[in-house]
Amino acid sequence: PSRRLRATVSSPIAATRMENYLKSKGMGQTDFAATVGTTDRTLRSFRKTGRVRRDILDSIAKHMGTTKEALLRLE
């Protein structure tokens, strides 16, 4: 039987990449949260813990102009 995917993704690397993206664009966390469709608190928690819901990570990647897999890739 196939297993369900977890609802959350844990990736400190993706959180760091998002943070670097915000700095490079000069965009505030609150503005980006509104663009992504989540709250400032959720993004603040993601930056701190590296954990976020899978659907929010998909939206973050989309609005950064990349894919979820590229955000999660180790480099």
Side-chain angles (χ1 to χ4, degrees), residues 2-75:
S2 62
R3 295 180 57 187
R4 283 182 50 187
L5 292 174
R6 291 182 177 231
T8 61
V9 176
S10 182
S11 176
I13 292 170
T16 301
R17 288 186 177 143
M18 181 194 72
E19 197 168 341
N20 291 339
Y21 173 82
L22 294 178
K23 286 179 186 174
S24 73
K25 295 293 182 182
M27 183 181 277
Q29 183 172 289
T30 304
D31 294 332
F32 188 64
T35 303
V36 169
T38 190
T39 63
D40 179 63
R41 182 177 180 180
T42 299
L43 291 188
R44 190 171 46 245
S45 175
F46 178 43
R47 291 168 88 171
K48 183 178 178 182
T49 65
R51 291 180 51 140
V52 71
R53 281 192 352 234
R54 184 174 299 279
D55 62 321
I56 294 173
L57 183 65
D58 288 338
S59 186
I60 289 170
K62 177 183 170 189
H63 287 90
M64 287 176 60
T66 188
T67 65
K68 175 179 62 174
E69 291 77 17
L71 273 182
L72 298 173
R73 187 176 314 130
L74 296 174
E75 290 182 358

